[in-house]
Amino acid sequence: MSRPISVVIHIDALRHNLARLREAARGRTLWAVVKANAYGHGLENAVCGFAEADGLAMLDASEARRARAAGWKKRLLMLEGFFDAADAHELERLGAEPVIHSRWQIELLKSAPHSNLKVHVKINSGMNRLGFMPEEACGVINEIGSIPGVEVLDAVTHFANAERPFGCDSAASVSEQLKRMQSIAATEELCMANSAAGLLQPDVKGNGLRAGIALYGISPLGEVSSQELGLRPAMTLSADIIALRTVCRGEAVGYGSRWVAQRDSRIAVVACGYADGYPRSMPDGAPVWVEGKKAPLAGAVSMDMLTIDVTDVPQARIGSPVELWGEHICVNDLACRCGTIGYELLCAVASRVPVSSD
Ligand SMILES: *Cc1c(COP(=O)(O)O)cnc(C)c1O
């Protein structure tokens, strides 16, 4: 038997979340964002679960090829466009729609012949990563649109603070970014919203919604739960208990002897470590779900194992499955305990963990 750790992807949860985001899209084109191997869920599972989306949004040609090979026939949006000339050609062959964000990409489009390349033009409305400035947008859009074989579909931008209040005190609040997009809105369709904007910002309109995290059932906000937003977590990471021992009060567990037993304690060893994607920075007390109860992490996470205190879970035995995150253990809560966000934990599940679907 192989090591007892697995990720299970719940396709029905992906479908459920897609229907939820379809409501939130209020008629806009719904793009399912599947970068980073569908946020760790497996691109092929996403192609299956998001069959009702209007298109898939991703990063590079290898993902586009995988999506096509998995049977995806609808639209493909390339969030960072192409990375060189060969790439541009390959995207056109795959029928994918690149985002054009930089001057060098325009020059590259001009230097190679195209027959039917549809593109989106990225505007920098305050994120200050990719995109043309709002004042140059109209000129750039006309310039790209006049390249033979190239058609501009819309202008796209991305919010820096979509999970914060509309007019929050930030250099790039949603209201400020919308204001900067106003002049472009007069002549172009706009595709702007991510999950947070789609679910929480009714003032953000446009022709498209690019939803990532919410489609995987995870709230884009730390303080609002998946359930409150009508979302169902689609990934369960679990591993079995492979050893049990009793340690006496005063004994320590694991590297650095971080956790010290305050009472005689029953410790279970679980077959999941930081090399599987469970953060080494997770503090003692972080919950796992075992035999219908929560139990706390006890001791530093090792490369291939972690240890939990099951003194209060007498049913725990060798072979008991332990949910590290999923339906009962919120990945955002865990992420918060170790100073990151749920996105990072989902994406960081290691390739050595087998992924299946139900
Ligand atoms: C990743 C990404 C999204 C999806 O963001 P979520 O917060 O996961 O919904 C949308 N737009 C762009 C440009 C992205 O890079």
Side-chain angles (χ1 to χ4, degrees):
M1 179 190 163
S2 51
R3 195 165 160 255
I5 178 168
S6 68
V7 158
V8 177
I9 304 303
H10 315 296
I11 303 288
D12 57 342
L14 296 178
R15 289 198 185 106
H16 167 90
N17 298 328
L18 192 99
R20 172 72 187 87
L21 270 293
R22 177 64 77 188
E23 271 170 45
R26 289 175 281 120
R28 286 172 285 186
T29 296
L30 179 55
W31 296 100
V33 181
V34 297
K35 60 195 180 190
N37 195 29
Y39 291 46
H41 293 63
L43 184 57
E44 289 72 17
N45 290 325
V47 165
C48 178
F50 301 149
E52 298 301 319
D54 299 308
L56 300 179
M58 51 186 56
L59 284 181
D60 73 19
S62 66
E63 293 169 314
R65 278 192 296 273
R66 255 174 88 189
R68 291 293 186 226
W72 186 261
K73 299 209 164 41
K74 293 192 261 185
R75 298 173 69 187
L76 296 172
L77 172 63
M78 311 309 293
L79 293 164
E80 295 178 6
F82 45 80
F83 299 98
D84 61 26
D87 206 27
H89 183 75
E90 174 70 350
L91 293 184
E92 185 166 6
R93 190 187 70 79
L94 290 162
E97 305 166 17
V99 164
I100 306 299
H101 59 74
S102 290
R103 170 57 49 188
W104 69 262
Q105 292 178 315
I106 301 180
E107 301 311 328
L108 204 147
L109 283 179
K110 286 179 177 170
S111 68
H114 298 280
S115 54
N116 182 24
L117 185 65
K118 296 182 164 60
V119 304
H120 305 257
V121 178
K122 179 91 164 196
I123 310 300
N124 171 25
S125 59
M127 183 72 109
N128 286 315
R129 298 184 311 190
L130 302 179
F132 301 95
M133 297 309 289
E135 350 19 302
E136 60 179 338
C138 285
V140 162
I141 289 168
N142 288 335
E143 183 181 354
I144 298 172
S146 66
I147 301 171
V150 178
E151 182 189 349
V152 176
L153 297 178
D154 59 13
V156 302
T157 198
H158 194 44
F159 293 114
N161 293 287
E163 67 290 348
R164 295 173 65 192
F166 183 68
C168 71
D169 179 23
S170 152
S173 63
V174 170
S175 73
E176 177 60 28
Q177 287 192 258
L178 279 185
K179 207 161 85 196
R180 296 181 191 177
M181 293 301 290
Q182 238 166 30
S183 58
I184 305 160
T187 53
E188 299 298 323
E189 298 272 20
L190 303 180
C191 175
M192 302 185 282
N194 59 359
S195 296
L199 290 167
L200 307 159
Q201 304 280 358
D203 295 293
V204 173
K205 301 192 166 67
N207 69 344
L209 168 58
R210 303 181 304 269
I213 195 75
L215 286 177
Y216 303 99
I218 306 304
S219 169
L221 290 97
E223 60 282 8
V224 179
S225 69
S226 299
Q227 289 81 350
E228 284 170 273
L229 292 171
L231 302 170
R232 283 167 48 194
M235 178 192 290
T236 301
L237 171 65
S238 61
D240 291 356
I241 293 176
I242 57 169
L244 276 163
R245 73 178 54 257
T246 304
V247 301
C248 297
R249 178 164 181 261
E251 280 288 306
V253 172
Y255 287 117
S257 302
R258 180 176 83 183
W259 187 89
V260 178
Q262 302 299 304
R263 55 179 177 174
D264 292 353
S265 303
R266 204 162 159 255
I267 297 296
V269 179
V270 181
C272 176
Y274 60 78
D276 299 300
Y278 193 93
R280 185 178 171 281
S281 54
M282 198 67 79
D284 288 335
V288 302
W289 184 259
V290 54
E291 298 295 349
K293 275 191 188 160
K294 283 186 180 173
L297 184 71
V301 174
S302 304
M303 185 183 287
D304 311 308
M305 290 172 262
L306 56 79
T307 39
I308 58 176
D309 177 359
V310 290
T311 314
D312 298 324
V313 191
Q315 306 88 330
R317 53 181 171 78
I318 301 291
S320 290
V322 177
E323 178 188 310
L324 285 324
W325 62 68
E327 186 192 350
H328 304 96
I329 303 295
C330 170
V331 74
N332 278 342
D333 169 47
L334 290 180
C336 179
R337 287 170 188 261
C338 61
T340 183
I341 52 177
Y343 295 72
E344 187 176 3
L345 268 54
L346 297 178
C347 296
V349 173
S351 59
R352 78 177 191 184
V353 180
V355 179
S356 62
S357 60
D358 67 7

